[in-house]
Short mmCIF file of all heavy atoms in Angstrom, two decimals:
data_model
loop_
_atom_site.label_atom_id
_atom_site.label_comp_id
_atom_site.label_asym_id
_atom_site.label_seq_id
_atom_site.Cartn_x
_atom_site.Cartn_y
_atom_site.Cartn_z
N ASP S 112 -18.11 2.44 -15.93
CA ASP S 112 -18.14 2.12 -14.50
C ASP S 112 -18.00 3.36 -13.63
O ASP S 112 -17.79 3.27 -12.44
CB ASP S 112 -17.03 1.12 -14.15
CG ASP S 112 -15.66 1.63 -14.47
OD1 ASP S 112 -15.56 2.70 -15.10
OD2 ASP S 112 -14.68 0.97 -14.11
N ARG S 113 -18.12 4.55 -14.22
CA ARG S 113 -18.07 5.76 -13.42
C ARG S 113 -19.36 5.93 -12.63
O ARG S 113 -20.44 5.60 -13.10
CB ARG S 113 -17.85 6.99 -14.31
CG ARG S 113 -16.46 7.02 -14.95
CD ARG S 113 -16.26 8.29 -15.74
NE ARG S 113 -14.92 8.34 -16.32
CZ ARG S 113 -14.48 9.32 -17.07
NH1 ARG S 113 -15.26 10.37 -17.34
NH2 ARG S 113 -13.26 9.30 -17.58
N PRO S 114 -19.28 6.48 -11.42
CA PRO S 114 -20.46 6.61 -10.59
C PRO S 114 -21.46 7.60 -11.18
O PRO S 114 -21.10 8.56 -11.84
CB PRO S 114 -19.91 7.12 -9.25
CG PRO S 114 -18.60 7.75 -9.60
CD PRO S 114 -18.07 6.99 -10.75
N SER S 115 -22.74 7.31 -10.96
CA SER S 115 -23.80 8.19 -11.43
C SER S 115 -23.91 9.41 -10.53
O SER S 115 -23.19 9.56 -9.55
CB SER S 115 -25.12 7.42 -11.44
OG SER S 115 -25.45 7.01 -10.12
N THR S 116 -24.86 10.31 -10.89
CA THR S 116 -25.06 11.50 -10.06
C THR S 116 -25.47 11.13 -8.65
O THR S 116 -24.99 11.70 -7.66
CB THR S 116 -26.14 12.40 -10.69
OG1 THR S 116 -25.74 12.73 -12.03
CG2 THR S 116 -26.32 13.67 -9.89
N GLN S 117 -26.36 10.12 -8.54
CA GLN S 117 -26.77 9.66 -7.22
C GLN S 117 -25.59 9.06 -6.47
O GLN S 117 -25.42 9.27 -5.27
CB GLN S 117 -27.89 8.62 -7.35
CG GLN S 117 -28.45 8.15 -6.00
CD GLN S 117 -29.60 7.19 -6.17
OE1 GLN S 117 -29.98 6.87 -7.30
NE2 GLN S 117 -30.16 6.73 -5.08
N GLY S 118 -24.75 8.32 -7.21
CA GLY S 118 -23.56 7.77 -6.59
C GLY S 118 -22.60 8.84 -6.14
O GLY S 118 -21.95 8.72 -5.10
N ASN S 119 -22.50 9.92 -6.91
CA ASN S 119 -21.64 11.03 -6.52
C ASN S 119 -22.11 11.67 -5.21
O ASN S 119 -21.31 12.04 -4.36
CB ASN S 119 -21.61 12.08 -7.63
CG ASN S 119 -20.80 11.62 -8.83
OD1 ASN S 119 -19.97 10.73 -8.72
ND2 ASN S 119 -21.07 12.22 -9.98
N ASP S 120 -23.43 11.83 -5.08
CA ASP S 120 -23.99 12.40 -3.85
C ASP S 120 -23.66 11.52 -2.66
O ASP S 120 -23.31 12.01 -1.58
CB ASP S 120 -25.50 12.57 -3.99
CG ASP S 120 -25.87 13.62 -5.03
OD1 ASP S 120 -25.01 14.47 -5.35
OD2 ASP S 120 -27.01 13.58 -5.54
N HIS S 121 -23.79 10.22 -2.84
CA HIS S 121 -23.47 9.29 -1.75
C HIS S 121 -21.98 9.35 -1.42
O HIS S 121 -21.58 9.34 -0.24
CB HIS S 121 -23.86 7.87 -2.15
CG HIS S 121 -23.45 6.83 -1.16
ND1 HIS S 121 -23.91 6.79 0.15
CD2 HIS S 121 -22.59 5.77 -1.27
CE1 HIS S 121 -23.37 5.78 0.79
NE2 HIS S 121 -22.56 5.14 -0.05
N TRP S 122 -21.14 9.43 -2.45
CA TRP S 122 -19.70 9.50 -2.24
C TRP S 122 -19.32 10.78 -1.51
O TRP S 122 -18.54 10.76 -0.55
CB TRP S 122 -18.99 9.43 -3.60
CG TRP S 122 -17.52 9.67 -3.54
CD1 TRP S 122 -16.57 8.89 -2.93
CD2 TRP S 122 -16.81 10.77 -4.11
NE1 TRP S 122 -15.32 9.43 -3.09
CE2 TRP S 122 -15.44 10.59 -3.81
CE3 TRP S 122 -17.20 11.89 -4.86
CZ2 TRP S 122 -14.46 11.49 -4.24
CZ3 TRP S 122 -16.22 12.76 -5.28
CH2 TRP S 122 -14.87 12.57 -4.97
N LEU S 123 -19.89 11.94 -1.92
CA LEU S 123 -19.59 13.21 -1.27
C LEU S 123 -20.03 13.19 0.19
O LEU S 123 -19.34 13.71 1.07
CB LEU S 123 -20.25 14.36 -2.02
CG LEU S 123 -19.65 14.70 -3.38
CD1 LEU S 123 -20.49 15.76 -4.08
CD2 LEU S 123 -18.21 15.18 -3.23
N SER S 124 -21.19 12.61 0.45
CA SER S 124 -21.67 12.51 1.82
C SER S 124 -20.73 11.66 2.67
O SER S 124 -20.40 12.03 3.81
CB SER S 124 -23.08 11.92 1.85
OG SER S 124 -23.53 11.73 3.17
#
Side-chain angles (χ1 to χ4, degrees):
D112 60 352
R113 291 184 178 179
S115 61
T116 303
Q117 184 177 0
N119 287 339
D120 294 339
H121 174 62
W122 172 66
L123 289 174
S124 176

